[in-house]
Amino acid sequence: MAAEGKTIDALSQFELTHAFGPVGAAVNFTQSNAHMLAAAVVIVAVMAMGIAPRAVVPGRLQAMSEMFYEFLENLVTGQVGHEGKRYFPFVFTLFMFVLFGNVIGLLPYAFTYTSHIAVTFALAALVFIVTTGVALALHGRKFFGYFFPEGAPLWLAPIIVPVEVVSYLSRPISLSVRLFANMVAGHVLLKVFATFVVLLGGLGVVGPVMAVLPLSVNVLLIGFELLVAFLQAYVFAILTSIYLHDAVHLH
Amino acid sequence: MKPVTLAGLMALLATSAARAVETVENSLEAQSTEASGGMPQLDFGNPLMLAQVIWLLIIFGVLYYVLAHVVLPRFDSVLENRRNRIQGDLEAARSAKAEADNALDAHRRATARSRADAQAAITEALATAQADATAQAAVLNAKLNDQIAAAEARIATARDTAMGALREVATDTAAALVQRLTGLNEPAAIDAAVQRELTAQGRA
């Protein structure tokens, strides 16, 4: 499509369409949601099938699923402390959902739901609501002391309180924009270089030879994007843990 | 011929490069004009956007429920079970080691005790043997001393007898010599002279 029109169309890959035919269209089920469903099914399948043998000495799949489990358990308990175990399933679900969204999105023809600011912002807003809810439930009114550190001179309050409030409110924005921007940038780059390959391939004798260049760039980019996919999921999870730490301990 | 081919190739390369650049530029222009339409992600008027988020919340919620209440607790029990098993094995190993240490200690103590016993027995046997030997030597010495004393007494008697006989012989010889030489018979004077001479020689 892009090559036929002799244009680079890097953004149409992010367009939402209906999935699952007329049934999906009736309930506005998008292809983005279909990929979320696929990711969720894969996550549950990997974890449930991994732990199914319940072996004392784990096999490969069990070792992998246990690795996911213990990696995030250590991350949450390391950041929040031992009482953070309660919030582990939430952080685990977030991490796996983002990671599998990023990785599945790298497959050919796949859609990357983490490249939609609406999706990442919804997840970040969920984190914001959960952490604020936890803080309010644990500390009640004392939670608002978070915005004015104890021992600071009172006359600094007009400066400190707005700064703290703004930084607290900007958390979901930075959390969502970071993931969104990373995924969009990666996929746009991949698409641009892939289009170069097609355009150059159509240029007579020398074109295919020159097309090797953007192709090799894309090969490198895919490896880089795999790193970014994992890294951004990790960042999302560890920031959530840090916010939970603040909610549980108030600094 | 050769330079010409090279030049031709260069020209071909240059033209195709130029065409490539042109195409890319064209497409980038097209892209930028199209981009004024905006990214699909920022098209919040699209009803699919809201639907996407609602379905996201549903799917994420179900995923969270399944993981938190069905899948992850299984990991908890399996990992806990493994930890307990390893802990139990370690404790068993530790107690086995303590037992072995105790046994080794007992063995060492028994060895030391038996060595001391053996030493004592050897010392005792040596002392007994020495005492026996001393006693036997004493008995033997006494017997020998007795025999020596008896022998000495016999020698003294024999000498005394011999000494007595000597006086008789001397007296008789002196009397006979005096008789023959002088014709005198004075036994008292001879006896006295013999007595004097024997005394002088220490044989009286």
Side-chain angles (χ1 to χ4, degrees), chain B residues 11 31 42 50 67 81 89 125 143 179-180:
Chain B
Q31 153 90 27
L42 300 179
L50 185 64
L67 286 179
N81 180 26
D89 285 1
K143 211 160 92 188
Q179 184 99 45
R180 180 83 59 83

Side-chain angles (χ1 to χ4, degrees), chain A residues 7-9 11 14 18 27-29 32-33 47 54-56 66 69 90 97 115-116 119 126 184 200 206, chain B residues 13 20 27 30-31 34 39-41 48 51-52 55-56 59-60 64 68 71 74-77 79 82 85:
Chain A
T7 58
I8 299 179
D9 180 10
L11 292 177
F14 301 119
H18 284 128
V27 291
N28 272 352
F29 197 84
S32 165
N33 299 126
M47 296 307 285
R54 291 172 171 270
V56 175
E66 280 178 7
Y69 183 93
F90 177 64
F97 192 69
S115 66
H116 262 248
V119 171
L126 195 63
V184 169
L200 288 172
V206 204
Chain B
L13 205 72
S27 49
Q31 153 90 27
E34 199 179 58
M39 296 170 82
Q41 292 100 312
L48 285 180
Q52 178 189 219
W55 280 112
L56 159 72
I59 293 168
F60 189 84
Y64 173 77
V71 179
R74 294 185 197 167
F75 280 84
D76 247 352
S77 67
L79 293 178
R82 181 177 309 153
R85 181 94 170 257

Side-chain angles (χ1 to χ4, degrees), chain B residues 21 26 131 139 161:
Chain B
V21 168
N26 281 347
V139 170
T161 322

